[in-house]
Amino acid sequence: ETGVTQTPRHLVMGMTNKKSLKCEQHLGHNAMYWYKQSAKKPLELMFVYNFKEQTENNSVPSRFSPECPNSSHLFLHLHTLQPEDSALYLCASSQLGTSPTNEQFFGPGTRLTVL
Amino acid sequence: SQQGEEDPQALSIQEGENATMNCSYKTSINNLQWYRQNSGRGLVHLILIRSNEREKHSGRLRVTLDTSKKSSSLLITASRAADTASYFCATDASSGAGSYQLTFGKGTKLSVIP
């Protein structure tokens, strides 16, 4: 579990707040992902970064803004969220290119509650 | 549309019994992966089976893949209380043209009673 770390582990915010989630991977991978996990729904892929370039944005509302300053760090900036955005946000990384399997390594997640 | 669909949604067994979970998917895949998630935690990769493989073993885990039926099963033998978790299948249908997505199902919640 220490291969991918996420902070904070828990976050409670009001709808007018601005906050950021942080993810760091210590595995030397070149791709990083943000997922949203809500109760009774499949894991939803939000963003993919491959070599620091965003390659996927699965119709995520603009109130979620990702940032990938380097291949080890990934942020998710949050502003004017809605209560339905409350969920577990998971970060993952993988090594693309040399490994064709896309096995992903997950962080422990940030439990977000929007009041 | 959702690619992986696990069955059953919940499974409760006694310690020592075997647990079988199934996954169905809709499109052609490169590989299928199984992940485990303890409550409120991140997912942990368990095992991967490629599209040209039919069966794979890892410790007490056995995975089968039937591409003609677009289905996979995960068998956990001699279950332990510590196996209590949610189990997800994920399909990799990446086209190789810059798209690297895994599609996850809703998961099977396994409870192993001591």
Side-chain angles (χ1 to χ4, degrees):
Chain A
E1 242 183 58
T2 56
V4 181
T5 57
Q6 289 187 244
T7 55
R9 294 294 307 276
H10 300 272
L11 178 62
V12 179
M13 59 187 289
M15 289 191 285
T16 58
N17 291 157
K18 288 185 181 181
K19 296 286 183 183
S20 295
L21 309 184
K22 179 183 175 182
C23 175
E24 183 173 0
Q25 60 97 359
H26 311 273
L27 301 169
H29 289 164
N30 56 17
M32 296 187 77
Y33 311 79
W34 278 119
Y35 288 90
K36 175 183 178 183
Q37 187 176 36
S38 306
K40 301 189 191 308
K41 291 178 71 174
L43 206 60
E44 300 172 60
L45 179 65
M46 301 174 71
F47 301 104
V48 180
Y49 277 82
N50 183 13
F51 291 103
K52 302 187 296 177
E53 299 296 321
Q54 188 182 130
T55 57
E56 301 285 345
N57 175 344
N58 285 359
S59 303
V60 179
S62 59
R63 56 186 184 268
F64 295 93
S65 174
E67 178 190 359
C68 188
N70 55 61
S71 58
S72 299
H73 293 85
L74 186 64
F75 295 89
L76 188 62
H77 303 300
L78 317 170
H79 64 98
T80 59
L81 295 192
Q82 305 297 312
E84 59 264 29
D85 296 322
S86 298
L88 182 67
Y89 288 84
L90 292 163
C91 173
S93 70
S94 71
Q95 181 63 21
L96 298 177
T98 56
S99 168
T101 62
N102 196 13
E103 174 187 340
Q104 296 186 9
F105 294 78
F106 284 79
T110 295
R111 173 66 64 185
L112 174 67
T113 303
V114 181
L115 301 176
Chain B
S1 62
Q2 185 176 319
Q3 173 74 313
E5 188 87 36
E6 291 92 344
D7 165 57
Q9 291 187 0
L11 179 61
S12 184
I13 60 174
Q14 294 292 132
E15 199 166 31
E17 293 180 340
N18 296 341
T20 300
M21 289 159 269
N22 303 296
C23 170
S24 59
Y25 57 93
K26 296 177 181 173
T27 65
S28 297
I29 60 172
N30 300 316
N31 64 68
L32 185 144
Q33 306 178 30
W34 284 92
Y35 288 79
R36 165 199 168 119
Q37 183 181 34
N38 288 82
S39 181
R41 308 284 291 180
L43 279 71
V44 176
H45 182 269
L46 293 176
I47 194 167
L48 177 149
I49 187 164
R50 299 175 193 269
S51 59
N52 61 353
E53 296 176 313
R54 292 296 166 258
E55 187 170 314
K56 203 159 182 182
H57 297 255
S58 176
R60 293 185 295 113
L61 305 180
R62 174 178 167 250
V63 170
T64 62
L65 179 65
D66 187 335
T67 52
S68 65
K69 295 181 179 177
K70 292 187 168 58
S71 68
S72 172
S73 68
L74 172 67
L75 168 68
I76 304 175
T77 59
S79 64
R80 304 167 183 167
D83 294 328
T84 295
S86 291
Y87 292 82
F88 297 87
C89 69
T91 51
D92 179 357
S94 304
S95 64
S99 173
Y100 302 101
Q101 292 199 31
L102 289 182
T103 306
F104 288 82
K106 291 184 182 179
T108 292
K109 191 167 185 178
L110 174 66
S111 298
V112 181
I113 303 164

